[in-house]
Amino acid sequence: MDVPLWVWGITVAAIVGMLVFDFFGHVRKPHAPTLKESGTWSAIYVGIAIVFGLIVLVFWGGTYAGEYFAGWVTEKSLSVDNLFVFVLIMASFAVPRELQQKVLLFGIAFALVLRTVFIFVGAAAIENFSWIFYVFGGFLIYTAWAQAKSGGHDENEEFKENSVLRLTRKVVPTTEEYHSDRLTAKLDGKRHITPLAIALIAIGSADILFAVDSIPAIFGLTQETYLVFTANAFALLGLRQLFFLLDGLLDKLVYLAYGLAVILGFIGVKLVIHALHENELPFINGGEHVTLVPEIPTWLSLLVILVTLLVTTWASLRKNKKDAQRRLGRAAGEPAADSAGRHIGAPGDPDADTAAAPPDPREAPVARPESRRD
């Protein structure tokens, strides 16, 4: 894929411009965005990402467009999973809702810079060491197994501060209270950082771990550095609005972790197969390529990713609907179930008549009037 330097320049300038617009247009003045505002801008950023994919289709062809869309959908899905951690961080530091946008936007900007560095390092490694695909593939398969084993995020889960945050608190004086949207405040003539800055550091350090998962995943779908960069950038843009749009709904995606495990595992296997086709390791097939298993085409990768996400979402919504009906049933006085799974008082239950019949008034205790003093 031949991408002229001027195209790179325009792309980077456009992405930076969108971040700057986001800051001055939405974040500079602290406020809690409405559902309408979040939904509108989320749709706009999704539309921009799709339009860019169509541009790739027109100028570089269907194969590269398919790789871009597969990478973008995967990165967007992983970003939604990352929102669970952002929710925990916001709750842990009690970040006021009107200030959460600033933390998220700064965190997104930091993540974009960090991932850009990781992308170019990964591209250089792929260019010089074909065996790196074995490493990426094995890591993704392990990540998929760990993701499936953990079952995702518990709604009662608490955020645990990492070593970076603990070191920051130890070295830099920190205020106990927020000071509007400022990151630092001067108290008793000494400069302190505010809890908002600590929350921002927490988001940034979490982004480092997220990049470790996402970069190998995207390289499993395309090795074109330009597509890897743009898929990551357009997945991160709009993440701030998505946070508020999905607020309160994240815990309903109960099967998202399993869906992402399937996707990461699939990409891991795809990487291992690609590594076998590019094999140069002398202890594997004498250093010769292994082509017994055909490589997975881009269209199949995109299909697997989309179907997995659709099934995951459908299953999550279905489970939530059943849980809601069960809660409504209990609230309406539906008979409880015994250890055998039968409703108490149901036909066939030996205690049915006793449990279902109203109490005998003759057996009710007699209320005696209390004596009173004249």
Side-chain angles (χ1 to χ4, degrees):
M1 182 178 182
D2 184 24
V3 183
L5 188 60
W6 64 269
V7 174
W8 269 100
I10 291 176
T11 305
V12 172
I15 291 170
V16 172
M18 283 185 274
L19 286 173
V20 172
F21 170 78
D22 230 5
F23 178 78
F24 285 98
H26 299 99
V27 176
R28 190 177 184 184
K29 183 179 179 181
H31 72 284
T34 63
L35 189 63
K36 181 180 178 181
E37 177 185 342
S38 300
T40 300
W41 282 102
S42 292
I44 289 174
Y45 279 113
V46 168
I48 291 173
I50 293 174
V51 169
F52 178 82
L54 296 177
I55 293 174
V56 174
L57 175 64
V58 171
F59 288 96
W60 287 284
T63 299
Y64 291 124
E67 291 179 359
Y68 162 77
F69 278 117
W72 174 68
V73 171
T74 300
E75 293 298 322
K76 198 71 173 179
S77 305
L78 291 171
S79 297
V80 171
D81 187 53
N82 298 344
L83 291 181
F84 283 98
V85 178
F86 292 167
V87 169
L88 293 178
I89 291 174
M90 297 296 185
S92 176
F93 293 100
V95 180
R97 192 169 178 80
E98 63 272 14
L99 301 181
Q100 292 179 3
Q101 290 198 97
K102 188 170 186 175
V103 176
L104 287 170
L105 184 61
F106 278 34
I108 289 168
F110 176 78
L112 186 56
V113 172
L114 182 69
R115 292 191 188 195
T116 301
V117 174
F118 279 23
I119 287 168
F120 282 99
V121 170
I126 289 172
E127 185 72 23
N128 294 281
F129 309 105
S130 61
W131 51 263
I132 200 70
F133 288 110
Y134 286 114
V135 178
F136 283 176
F139 176 75
L140 287 180
I141 292 172
Y142 169 78
T143 303
W145 174 81
Q147 181 93 337
K149 185 179 179 182
S150 68
H153 304 277
D154 184 359
E155 62 181 351
N156 297 318
E157 185 178 350
E158 295 182 358
F159 175 72
K160 298 179 180 178
E161 294 192 5
N162 54 37
S163 56
V164 175
L165 286 177
R166 291 194 295 270
L167 180 63
T168 302
R169 288 185 182 278
K170 185 176 181 180
V171 174
V172 184
T174 308
T175 66
E176 295 295 329
E177 298 178 350
Y178 285 88
H179 293 261
S180 183
D181 63 338
R182 288 184 293 172
L183 300 178
T184 63
K186 201 169 185 180
L187 300 178
D188 300 326
K190 190 176 182 180
R191 182 68 60 178
H192 292 65
I193 61 174
T194 66
L196 190 67
I198 295 294
L200 181 58
I201 295 172
I203 294 284
S205 57
D207 282 330
I208 297 176
L209 298 178
F210 298 155
V212 173
D213 290 341
S214 65
I215 298 305
I218 187 68
F219 272 117
L221 298 168
T222 178
Q223 282 84 59
E224 297 294 335
T225 307
Y226 182 71
L227 297 181
V228 173
F229 170 74
T230 51
N232 266 278
F234 287 118
L236 288 172
L237 290 171
L239 188 60
R240 174 183 63 81
Q241 292 86 350
L242 194 62
F243 174 88
F244 292 98
L245 184 63
L246 296 181
D247 188 21
L249 299 177
L250 287 173
D251 58 342
K252 297 184 183 300
L253 300 174
V254 292
Y255 295 126
L256 178 63
Y258 299 107
L260 292 177
V262 171
I263 293 173
L264 292 176
F266 172 80
I267 297 175
V269 171
K270 184 177 187 292
L271 275 171
V272 171
I273 293 174
H274 179 72
L276 290 171
H277 278 253
E278 301 290 327
N279 179 61
E280 295 178 353
L281 297 178
F283 54 85
I284 298 179
N285 198 35
E288 299 295 327
H289 301 333
V290 181
T291 58
L292 183 62
V293 179
E295 291 210 53
I296 299 173
T298 301
W299 67 265
L300 182 57
S301 299
L302 183 57
L303 181 63
V304 168
I305 292 168
L306 291 175
V307 170
T308 301
L309 291 175
L310 287 173
V311 171
T312 298
T313 304
W314 173 80
S316 296
L317 295 177
R318 188 168 180 268
K319 184 179 186 301
N320 279 286
K321 184 178 180 181
K322 285 187 174 182
D323 291 345
Q325 290 175 343
R326 193 177 297 115
R327 286 192 295 269
L328 285 174
R330 286 199 297 265
E334 182 180 280
D338 61 13
S339 58
R342 299 172 303 180
H343 289 303
I344 298 175
D349 188 338
D351 298 325
D353 295 336
T354 305
D360 188 345
R362 292 172 299 178
E363 298 176 358
V366 177
R368 298 181 180 277
E370 295 182 1
S371 60
R372 62 182 182 180
R373 297 178 182 175
D374 295 330

mmCIF file of all heavy atoms in Angstrom, residues 367-373:
data_model
loop_
_atom_site.group_PDB
_atom_site.id
_atom_site.type_symbol
_atom_site.label_atom_id
_atom_site.label_comp_id
_atom_site.label_asym_id
_atom_site.label_seq_id
_atom_site.Cartn_x
_atom_site.Cartn_y
_atom_site.Cartn_z
ATOM 1 N N ALA A 367 -55.887 -11.219 69.915
ATOM 2 C CA ALA A 367 -55.282 -9.989 70.424
ATOM 3 C C ALA A 367 -56.077 -9.524 71.626
ATOM 4 O O ALA A 367 -57.267 -9.215 71.517
ATOM 5 C CB ALA A 367 -55.289 -8.918 69.331
ATOM 6 N N ARG A 368 -55.473 -9.517 72.783
ATOM 7 C CA ARG A 368 -56.153 -9.097 74.009
ATOM 8 C C ARG A 368 -55.913 -7.611 74.223
ATOM 9 O O ARG A 368 -54.801 -7.139 74.098
ATOM 10 C CB ARG A 368 -55.628 -9.877 75.215
ATOM 11 C CG ARG A 368 -55.886 -11.381 75.080
ATOM 12 C CD ARG A 368 -55.378 -12.107 76.313
ATOM 13 N NE ARG A 368 -55.607 -13.529 76.202
ATOM 14 C CZ ARG A 368 -56.746 -14.145 76.487
ATOM 15 N NH1 ARG A 368 -57.767 -13.413 76.922
ATOM 16 N NH2 ARG A 368 -56.869 -15.446 76.365
ATOM 17 N N PRO A 369 -56.981 -6.899 74.576
ATOM 18 C CA PRO A 369 -56.783 -5.454 74.808
ATOM 19 C C PRO A 369 -55.885 -5.219 76.005
ATOM 20 O O PRO A 369 -55.957 -5.947 76.997
ATOM 21 C CB PRO A 369 -58.219 -4.930 75.045
ATOM 22 C CG PRO A 369 -58.980 -6.143 75.528
ATOM 23 C CD PRO A 369 -58.378 -7.316 74.844
ATOM 24 N N GLU A 370 -55.052 -4.220 75.865
ATOM 25 C CA GLU A 370 -54.152 -3.900 76.982
ATOM 26 C C GLU A 370 -54.957 -3.211 78.097
ATOM 27 O O GLU A 370 -55.875 -2.448 77.843
ATOM 28 C CB GLU A 370 -53.049 -2.972 76.508
ATOM 29 C CG GLU A 370 -52.136 -3.639 75.478
ATOM 30 C CD GLU A 370 -51.046 -2.691 75.078
ATOM 31 O OE1 GLU A 370 -51.025 -1.574 75.619
ATOM 32 O OE2 GLU A 370 -50.230 -3.069 74.245
ATOM 33 N N SER A 371 -54.612 -3.547 79.310
ATOM 34 C CA SER A 371 -55.276 -2.884 80.449
ATOM 35 C C SER A 371 -54.802 -1.439 80.527
ATOM 36 O O SER A 371 -53.672 -1.155 80.203
ATOM 37 C CB SER A 371 -54.946 -3.624 81.746
ATOM 38 O OG SER A 371 -53.557 -3.628 81.955
ATOM 39 N N ARG A 372 -55.650 -0.574 80.927
ATOM 40 C CA ARG A 372 -55.234 0.804 81.032
ATOM 41 C C ARG A 372 -55.612 1.341 82.418
ATOM 42 O O ARG A 372 -56.547 0.875 83.046
ATOM 43 C CB ARG A 372 -55.939 1.653 79.967
ATOM 44 C CG ARG A 372 -57.433 1.686 80.081
ATOM 45 C CD ARG A 372 -58.015 2.499 78.970
ATOM 46 N NE ARG A 372 -59.476 2.559 79.139
ATOM 47 C CZ ARG A 372 -60.265 3.201 78.317
ATOM 48 N NH1 ARG A 372 -59.757 3.774 77.238
ATOM 49 N NH2 ARG A 372 -61.586 3.232 78.550
ATOM 50 N N ARG A 373 -54.898 2.281 82.801
ATOM 51 C CA ARG A 373 -55.135 2.879 84.115
ATOM 52 C C ARG A 373 -56.096 4.034 83.987
ATOM 53 O O ARG A 373 -56.013 4.818 83.069
ATOM 54 C CB ARG A 373 -53.820 3.371 84.718
ATOM 55 C CG ARG A 373 -52.829 2.218 84.963
ATOM 56 C CD ARG A 373 -51.542 2.763 85.500
ATOM 57 N NE ARG A 373 -50.574 1.704 85.705
ATOM 58 C CZ ARG A 373 -49.311 1.913 86.093
ATOM 59 N NH1 ARG A 373 -48.922 3.164 86.307
ATOM 60 N NH2 ARG A 373 -48.508 0.903 86.257
#
